[in-house]
Amino acid sequence: MAHLVKDVQLPSVIPKLLLEKHTNYLVSYGTNKDDYMYCMTEYLRMSGMYWGLTALDLMGQLDHTSKDEILEFIKKCQSDCGGISASLNHDPHLLYTLSAVQILCMYDALEVIDTDKVVKYVKDRQLPDGSFTGDIWGEVDTRFSFCAVATLSLLGRLDAIDVDKAVEFVKSCMNFDGGFGSKPGSESHAGLIYCCLGLLSITGHLHLVDADRLGWWLCERQLPSGGLNGRPEKLPDVCYSWWVLSSLTILGRLHWIDKDRLLEFVLSCQDTETGGFSDRPGDMVDPFHTLFGLTAISLLDTDHGLKPINPTFCMPEYVIRKIGLKPSRLER
């Protein structure tokens, strides 16, 4: 019996990039505070704001937002311990702390929070083996390692943690296929590969990676539809257009995949009526996939009117340059 590859069918007509509709979708998202989806996503509100605001900034539309309202919300979400939560009265977490710092960097408004307390919160999350817990409840994951290092790097305070041990922990999560998992022995996954490469890029340790082996594994994620999946035997998803492309860009091997086919897949995931991107053609759109659809198009270096995105921080390149950061990349 022939092996069938899990994939999707693209529409017969691929729409162009609908920047105006995406802007309207993101600006109107959350205006109705009683909307079911808005209420149900309160637990990740801070990251949702980061997704929407970054997407708007890439399209040159950040001035459509209420800056003062956003900064006041972030200020209220900082806990006494220094960490920042997803929303009011929620527990702080490294994921939302990074999202908040990224937003503040885009607005050039870090003075809104107590950055010394943020540094202490991140420092307190590091364990003796170099890994990081996401919050006080103790879950360890390489996502949190990236969040910790990215946050401190944006604040200019990488010196607050044991960077060598953080690198050693990430190195211990490397698998035989060149990829990385959430902890030692865990399956390679494109999202976690991005996190680990991001940490190694920020700390200047990309030489620890087998770039050809990992680059090949990442290229194997492209399916006949042109879309990318996160691991073998899974359907393609727009968000992996970011995780895989950013990783290949950091590795200097973006040219190893079929860019034209991937661009068609990403563009086909737009909702031509409401704006926004979905995970796959025809599904419901959301701010998460909208950001990663736009960042993928930006990385593909196509002439679509988007600002360049930094592959390590998932922030507009001009913001990273303004801060003065130069995360490393491998040569082609």
Side-chain angles (χ1 to χ4, degrees), residues 261-277:
R261 284 170 51 224
L262 176 57
L263 181 61
E264 286 189 351
F265 172 82
V266 174
L267 290 174
S268 71
C269 294
Q270 299 175 103
D271 188 313
T272 57
E273 295 182 7
T274 67
F277 287 76

Side-chain angles (χ1 to χ4, degrees), residues 40-195:
M40 290 302 291
T41 55
E42 183 183 32
Y43 69 96
L44 46 71
R45 179 77 22 88
M46 190 66 70
S47 289
M49 287 172 54
Y50 155 71
W51 300 328
L53 294 172
T54 304
L56 286 169
D57 199 358
L58 285 179
M59 295 187 289
Q61 304 296 332
L62 192 60
D63 58 349
H64 281 66
T65 63
S66 177
K67 177 180 176 180
D68 291 342
E69 184 179 335
I70 290 165
L71 297 185
E72 183 63 23
F73 176 77
I74 293 175
K75 183 177 181 179
K76 289 180 178 178
C77 287
Q78 185 171 28
S79 302
D80 290 339
C81 67
I84 299 172
S85 57
S87 191
L88 304 179
N89 303 314
H90 285 237
D91 289 341
H93 196 287
L94 280 180
L95 289 169
Y96 309 120
T97 300
L98 173 59
S99 293
V101 169
Q102 289 172 306
I103 294 169
L104 294 176
C105 286
M106 281 190 285
Y107 281 122
D108 196 16
L110 283 171
E111 72 280 356
V112 167
I113 56 172
D114 188 329
T115 55
D116 287 337
K117 281 190 172 183
V118 171
V119 172
K120 183 181 184 305
Y121 176 76
V122 176
K123 175 182 172 65
D124 289 347
R125 303 275 68 76
Q126 189 170 30
L127 298 179
D129 67 353
S131 65
F132 286 83
T133 61
D135 55 20
I136 62 172
W137 305 112
E139 181 187 6
V140 170
D141 192 303
T142 47
R143 289 179 302 155
F144 310 149
S145 294
F146 171 74
C147 289
V149 167
T151 298
L152 293 179
S153 181
L154 290 169
L155 296 177
R157 290 299 310 277
L158 261 182
D159 61 303
I161 59 169
D162 190 326
V163 173
D164 290 339
K165 282 195 172 182
V167 170
E168 277 301 312
F169 176 74
V170 164
K171 184 181 176 183
S172 74
C173 297
M174 189 186 302
N175 293 320
F176 72 94
D177 53 20
F180 296 85
S182 60
K183 52 182 67 72
S186 295
E187 177 186 12
S188 294
H189 184 283
L192 298 168
I193 287 169
Y194 160 79
C195 290

Side-chain angles (χ1 to χ4, degrees), residues 193-257:
I193 287 169
Y194 160 79
C195 290
C196 293
L197 283 182
L199 183 147
L200 297 175
S201 168
I202 292 169
T203 60
H205 285 81
L206 285 174
H207 60 277
L208 298 175
V209 177
D210 185 334
D212 285 343
R213 181 179 294 183
L214 178 51
W216 178 255
W217 188 93
L218 290 165
C219 291
E220 286 281 284
R221 305 282 58 78
Q222 188 163 35
L223 298 168
S225 65
L228 299 163
N229 61 20
R231 51 198 170 105
E233 302 301 321
K234 298 295 182 181
L235 287 170
D237 186 320
V238 158
C239 69
Y240 293 113
S241 302
W242 166 255
W243 310 123
V244 173
L245 284 188
S246 59
S247 297
L248 286 172
T249 302
I250 292 170
L251 293 173
R253 284 153 176 78
L254 182 59
H255 57 294
W256 281 13
I257 65 163

